[in-house]
Amino acid sequence: MAGKRIFPPTTALYPAPVVLVSCGDFMGEKNALTVAWTGTVASDPPAVVIGIRPTRYSFGLIQRYGDFVVNLPRDEHLDILEYCGSVSGRTEDKFEKAGLTADRPESVRAPLVKEFPVNIECKVKDRIPMGSHDLFIAEVMAVHVDPSVLTEGEIDAEKMRAIAYWNGKYYRLGERIGKRKV
Ligand SMILES: Cc1cc2nc3c(=O)[nH]c(=O)nc-3n(C[C@H](O)[C@H](O)[C@H](O)COP(=O)(O)O)c2cc1C
């Protein structure tokens, strides 16, 4: 076998989740941006991270209100992800233009996006600058799940028709190939 090629440092960890992060105030100014630099970072209490460039309009909103909502998309939401990931809330009301409905959160100020089947309310606990992006580390405060994506009380990946992001491309998550034994 030929030797492996060595790449210079790059963002090689794929697949990444791709999500719509909503922020601001449910009762006032609100915005949403597409985020691929995100993940779960702790189980108890459950915590997530998002990497946001300080130049984003959303950055200031997340800092001001100290929270955000991670909205998990389905395959049918690709156009919304593309739109919210290429236009800034500084110049357009993305909720209005994309036909998104703001739903009332339980324990944060940021709005939920009603059209997305899973909404994870997050409260910022820490911010760590990391070069191009700042990492917002946040505790999960509440999770809203549409019953249409549940099987026996669990979120069902096939019903979700969840999508992943890999180097500029989107993929629908497919068949299950295993199950944890422990
Ligand atoms: C697939 C995809 C993934 C993205 N991931 C991120 C990300 O992880 N962090 C980030 O700051 N911007 C990311 N962006 C870019 C922002 O979504 C984009 O710049 C957006 O217009 C910023 O909106 P805002 O200025 O209203 O906050 C991504 C865009 C796309 C299309």
Side-chain angles (χ1 to χ4, degrees):
M1 194 170 38
K4 286 181 180 151
R5 278 183 55 198
I6 299 177
F7 282 62
T10 183
T11 55
L13 179 58
Y14 288 115
V18 58
V19 301
L20 188 68
V21 170
S22 46
C23 50
D25 183 2
F26 167 70
M27 304 294 282
E29 55 175 344
K30 38 185 145 315
N31 192 42
L33 88 164
T34 304
V35 167
W37 298 159
T38 182
T40 297
V41 289
S43 316
D44 187 16
V48 299
V49 67
I50 56 170
I52 305 290
R53 283 187 189 262
T55 51
R56 310 294 188 222
Y57 179 59
S58 303
F59 186 89
L61 291 176
I62 294 169
Q63 277 213 306
R64 190 168 330 142
Y65 294 101
D67 60 43
F68 58 86
V69 176
V70 174
N71 304 277
L72 304 189
R74 317 177 77 163
D75 53 4
E76 71 208 34
H77 296 126
L78 263 197
D79 287 349
I80 295 173
L81 293 173
E82 279 284 288
Y83 168 69
C84 292
S86 56
V87 168
S88 178
R90 273 190 202 95
T91 54
E92 282 184 25
D93 180 340
K94 291 196 248 182
F95 266 80
E96 194 193 312
K97 285 266 165 68
L100 300 175
T101 314
D103 242 355
R104 183 180 289 278
E106 292 230 313
S107 27
V108 298
R109 295 274 290 272
L112 316 181
V113 177
K114 187 184 171 87
E115 287 74 16
F116 283 49
V118 179
N119 320 98
I120 306 169
E121 295 187 24
C122 302
K123 205 160 257 180
V124 175
K125 293 288 166 186
D126 206 353
R127 177 171 65 87
I128 301 173
M130 190 67 216
S132 58
H133 293 60
D134 278 16
L135 308 182
F136 288 101
I137 298 170
E139 187 175 332
V140 173
M141 307 306 292
V143 181
H144 306 246
V145 184
D146 192 292
S148 68
V149 299
L150 289 174
T151 299
E152 291 170 11
E154 302 274 343
I155 300 175
D156 184 323
E158 282 166 36
K159 287 185 181 168
M160 273 290 291
R161 303 196 309 275
I163 54 182
Y165 178 75
W166 194 306
N167 202 18
K169 299 168 210 84
Y170 304 99
Y171 296 84
R172 185 185 298 114
L173 292 180
E175 64 183 314
R176 187 173 90 188
I177 56 164
K179 188 170 185 221
R180 247 183 92 167
K181 291 183 181 64
V182 287

